[in-house]
Amino acid sequence: AGVGFAVSSETAMRVGSDLLTYGKVKRGVIDASLYQLDYRIARYAGLDITQGMLVSEVTDGGNAEKVGIKGGTEAAYYGNRKNIIYLGGDVITQIDNIKITSLADYYSALEDKRPGDVVKVVIHRDRKDLEMKIKLSGE
């Protein structure tokens, strides 16, 4: 079909090694339910920013909760009214100096990170940016 994809050799080696060793790719993750922030959600929630990953919920005892990342408390319908998100939580705006404006940015920032790696995360809370370090968990 003439379609091709470019993947760095480092990524290919890591992915191939993980697949052979574990049968799946192991990436580091932040233990939270995240939603891509957009203008509509930001306006409804009264936020002063419109881009980033909204933290809807944090996993009890997970790495996000341990460093103080906060999930939302106000339930709201999202999308087709079947999904509920929680507003009022933190917004992730950077991971290791990579600006996070979308879900794709979030995944790109964590692409080469493994469970146990520590990353610097900037969150937006109460109209202020806070920086924290978080140890990634396994996927």
Side-chain angles (χ1 to χ4, degrees):
V3 176
F5 296 96
V7 176
S8 73
S9 60
E10 294 85 12
T11 299
M13 291 294 291
R14 185 183 60 73
V15 166
S17 176
D18 278 4
L19 288 173
L20 288 172
T21 305
Y22 309 111
K24 64 180 181 176
V25 179
K26 290 195 164 204
R27 287 197 179 99
V29 295
I30 296 173
D31 293 328
S33 295
L34 306 173
Y35 288 87
Q36 183 174 315
L37 190 61
D38 61 23
Y39 176 77
R40 186 178 59 152
I41 295 170
R43 191 175 91 194
Y44 182 81
L47 297 173
D48 62 331
I49 61 172
T50 58
Q51 293 182 326
M53 294 303 296
L54 175 68
V55 180
S56 176
E57 298 176 274
V58 294
T59 303
D60 289 336
N63 60 4
E65 183 182 64
K66 288 177 184 174
V67 299
I69 293 177
K70 297 183 189 250
T73 56
E74 178 188 341
Y77 287 108
Y78 179 70
N80 59 9
R81 297 190 60 82
K82 289 183 181 180
N83 298 323
I84 294 177
I85 63 173
Y86 294 91
L87 304 176
D90 295 331
V91 178
I92 297 173
T93 60
Q94 280 186 17
I95 298 174
D96 277 350
N97 298 317
I98 298 171
K99 186 175 181 180
I100 306 299
T101 61
S102 67
L103 186 59
D105 293 339
Y106 171 78
Y107 285 130
S108 291
L110 297 179
E111 172 66 30
D112 293 328
K113 305 298 181 192
R114 292 196 171 276
D117 287 352
V118 176
V119 295
K120 180 181 72 171
V121 176
V122 176
I123 60 154
H124 192 76
R125 177 189 298 160
D126 298 328
R127 303 186 184 273
K128 296 177 186 154
D129 289 334
L130 304 170
E131 187 177 297
M132 52 187 65
K133 292 189 185 258
I134 185 169
K135 184 177 182 179
L136 299 174
S137 66
E139 188 172 66

